[in-house]
Amino acid sequence: MATIIRGGTVVTADGSFPADVEIEGGRIRAVRDQADAGEGDDVVDASGLLLMPGGIDVHTHLDMPVAPDCATCDDFYTGHRAAAFGGTTSHIDFANQQRGDSLRATLDRWLERAGGKAVIDYGFHVTIVDPSPEVMDEMASLRGWGVNSIKLFLAYKARGMMLRNDEFFNLCRRARELGLLPLVHAETGEVIDLLEQEAIAAGRTEPRWHATVRPALAEAEATNRAIALARMAGSALYVVHITCQGALAAVRQARREGAPVFGESCPQYLFFTADDLARPGFEGAKYVCSPPLRTEADQAALWEALALGDLQAFSTDHAPFRFEDQKSRGRERFDAIPNGVPAIEHRLVLLWHFGVNQGRLTPEHFVSLTSTGPARIFGIYPQKGSLAPGADADILLWDPAAAWSISTATHQMAVDYDLWEGFTGRGRPVKVWRRGELLVDGERWLGQAGSGQHLRREQAGAQVQG
Ligand SMILES: [Zn+2]
């Protein structure tokens, strides 16, 4: 039995056209005029609606421990349900190495977390914090395990995650040899740690100091340095969660010079500023993430970079912590507030309404930023990020006229606040298929825990080779 989605407009990164889409066996069978429905086929009327490839969020942190008794509060079930309601059908999370651990043990631990719960398809970047000779050797196995990207930190020295310049360079060189794409969290770790310790010692303990001790120049410095080191190593580079003009300038310049450097930003950086960290009481803790929220000028620069193609992906860095009993760990001092914000559910609707409806982005560019671009960079195109015949049938039936409003009372995320509380807009998914299986039908949730598959990414991204 096939599913025929009839009478809609197909929107891809390359163009839009009216067509019927046929799904069979979890894949797209055909995209054409006037599909014939066979006996028993399920026919969906898409008149007036758009069909887009399912969203791909390449930066999330589900069920991520940050302390022995504290982990992000969405696991691979609640996080996937929230993602799917928001139109995201695949994501790439992070398998974080602990010092001394092998990469295999690291990946296994995270595969275990996802396994029985997953509903959308998921992959992992492996975070390397301890590049021992054994780990450098083991990197040769990563692609065979379905992992073609590694995450490297230039921040968090005191937490034992920061790499020295020689380590970062050497990892990029090894990545280049093996066809892996390095991702970088670029902030000047040593200086931030110093400023943070000084602030705490001086009694500056409220949430707003979190932004003060992590200045935009620290991000700009580390982004410039990461790009230079990656280029010295002959490696491509993907810069995660870009927030500010200085970091954007570094990425833009490298790309102009023909370097394979890619960048993403995230919704929180488009809507909020460091002033939100100074909200009365302890409210500012809800806005604590790293890098921190910046200024309105940075927001404008990020929108412009998304529109001009200086940024190639829009992801979330979804890292939800409950206000009540998790963010509150930092009531006495901001450096104890778990870093991160909940966003996995709202990525597409926010970018559609404030990007497409407000004339900043075309619908095709929206698809590129939320799905096709990341699929290409991370080597899963055209299985994902495409509506071509043979692709996985990850499809959004999108109603551009449907109104939405955001509230903690109705969101799917397992977190007790929402940064976008009270926001309203138009354009949202009304049906969501993952590999041909209907996960979301209007308000109804049909997803089954354990049906999501590990997304094996053996291929290097097309733009990473060479
Ligand atoms: Zn992150």
Side-chain angles (χ1 to χ4, degrees):
M1 184 183 117
T3 301
I4 312 293
I5 310 173
R6 186 171 266 167
T9 298
V10 168
V11 182
T12 72
D14 301 321
S16 301
F17 49 92
D20 295 351
V21 173
E22 305 173 20
I23 305 172
E24 192 174 30
R27 295 191 174 187
I28 294 174
R29 184 174 73 188
V31 178
R32 57 178 170 140
D33 292 339
Q34 309 283 331
D36 298 320
E39 187 108 357
D41 284 352
D42 191 15
V43 177
V44 176
D45 179 13
S47 319
L49 305 177
L50 309 177
L51 284 98
M52 303 193 284
I56 303 171
D57 189 342
V58 296
H59 189 159
T60 60
H61 299 282
L62 298 179
D63 199 6
M64 176 182 70
V66 293
D69 55 347
C70 184
T72 53
C73 61
D74 271 316
D75 66 11
F76 283 81
Y77 182 73
T78 65
H80 283 193
R81 186 179 59 194
F85 267 101
T88 291
T89 53
S90 306
H91 73 122
I92 310 180
D93 210 273
F94 294 83
N96 299 328
Q97 185 201 20
Q98 312 269 1
R99 299 196 82 80
D101 279 359
S102 72
L103 301 183
R104 183 68 241 183
T106 300
L107 181 61
D108 284 345
R109 189 171 331 113
W110 291 81
L111 286 168
E112 175 105 350
R113 285 199 170 96
K117 294 180 178 172
V119 186
I120 65 172
D121 289 346
Y122 57 95
F124 291 100
H125 314 286
V126 168
T127 304
I128 301 180
V129 298
D130 183 9
S132 64
E134 295 75 26
V135 165
M136 297 301 283
D137 279 348
E138 208 187 2
M139 283 172 70
S141 301
L142 284 174
R143 277 172 64 185
W145 301 338
V147 173
N148 66 10
S149 48
I150 55 171
K151 169 83 174 290
L152 308 176
F153 281 92
L154 293 178
Y156 303 125
K157 184 179 185 189
R159 295 186 208 174
M161 293 155 74
M162 191 187 82
L163 298 162
R164 297 189 314 261
N165 287 342
D166 58 330
E167 292 172 329
F168 183 87
F169 167 80
N170 204 23
L171 282 160
C172 287
R173 198 165 52 177
R174 185 80 173 125
R176 150 85 192 178
E177 256 169 43
L178 299 170
L180 301 166
L181 175 62
L183 285 68
V184 64
H185 176 136
E187 288 186 291
T188 319
E190 300 96 329
V191 175
I192 288 169
D193 283 2
L194 174 69
L195 294 174
E196 191 169 82
Q197 287 156 17
E198 286 176 353
I200 297 292
R204 297 170 181 146
T205 55
E206 301 83 13
R208 69 193 170 97
W209 294 101
H210 171 79
T212 313
V213 304
R214 311 185 80 96
L217 277 169
E219 183 184 335
E221 184 280 320
T223 305
N224 274 290
R225 178 159 46 97
I227 290 172
L229 292 168
R231 292 179 73 178
M232 286 159 70
S235 170
L237 184 70
Y238 181 92
V239 185
V240 298
H241 49 43
I242 291 174
T243 75
C244 64
Q245 298 163 83
L248 281 173
V251 170
R252 187 179 295 127
Q253 182 62 28
R255 291 178 60 81
R256 278 200 189 133
E257 293 172 11
V261 173
F262 308 95
E264 65 171 23
S265 194
C266 313
Q268 50 275 27
Y269 299 113
L270 298 178
F271 293 93
F272 307 105
T273 69
D275 290 345
D276 287 298
L277 285 124
R279 288 184 181 225
F282 189 58
E283 283 290 293
K286 294 176 178 174
Y287 299 82
V288 167
C289 55
S290 294
L293 304 171
R294 304 291 188 193
T295 67
E296 285 181 13
D298 290 308
Q299 292 179 356
L302 290 171
W303 275 113
E304 187 184 59
L306 289 167
L308 294 178
D310 293 332
L311 295 174
Q312 297 75 43
F314 189 62
S315 57
T316 59
D317 197 8
H318 178 71
F321 294 99
R322 286 182 303 271
F323 182 65
E324 187 62 32
D325 62 317
Q326 295 186 307
K327 289 284 188 181
S328 59
R329 297 163 72 94
R331 273 192 190 276
E332 304 304 319
R333 44 186 288 175
F334 71 84
D335 62 338
I337 300 170
N339 281 211
V341 301
I344 200 168
E345 187 172 347
H346 305 322
R347 182 175 68 112
L348 271 66
V349 297
L350 289 168
L351 194 69
W352 182 272
H353 184 75
F354 293 93
V356 177
N357 289 351
Q358 300 196 358
R360 293 167 161 131
L361 301 173
T362 62
E364 293 79 14
H365 198 164
F366 168 87
V367 170
S368 175
L369 287 165
T370 57
S371 179
T372 309
R376 285 190 168 126
I377 292 170
F378 290 99
I380 48 175
Y381 183 85
Q383 179 196 350
K384 302 290 189 189
S386 159
L387 290 184
D392 284 357
D394 296 349
I395 303 175
L396 309 182
L397 188 62
W398 189 272
D399 183 351
W404 50 260
S405 65
I406 290 175
S407 159
T408 310
T410 53
H411 75 194
Q412 298 289 334
M413 300 179 290
V415 63
D416 59 356
Y417 73 97
D418 199 306
L419 294 186
W420 289 273
E421 186 76 40
F423 275 58
T424 59
R426 284 188 188 279
R428 62 180 168 88
V430 290
K431 287 183 195 286
V432 177
W433 288 267
R434 187 235 53 230
R435 283 180 283 106
E437 202 176 306
L438 192 59
L439 300 183
V440 173
D441 188 7
E443 306 301 311
R444 281 201 310 151
W445 171 239
L446 304 169
Q448 299 288 326
S451 63
Q453 289 180 358
H454 179 219
L455 200 46
R456 297 185 59 86
R457 301 178 298 119
E458 283 93 346
Q459 300 298 314
Q463 297 168 81
V464 177
Q465 298 162 340

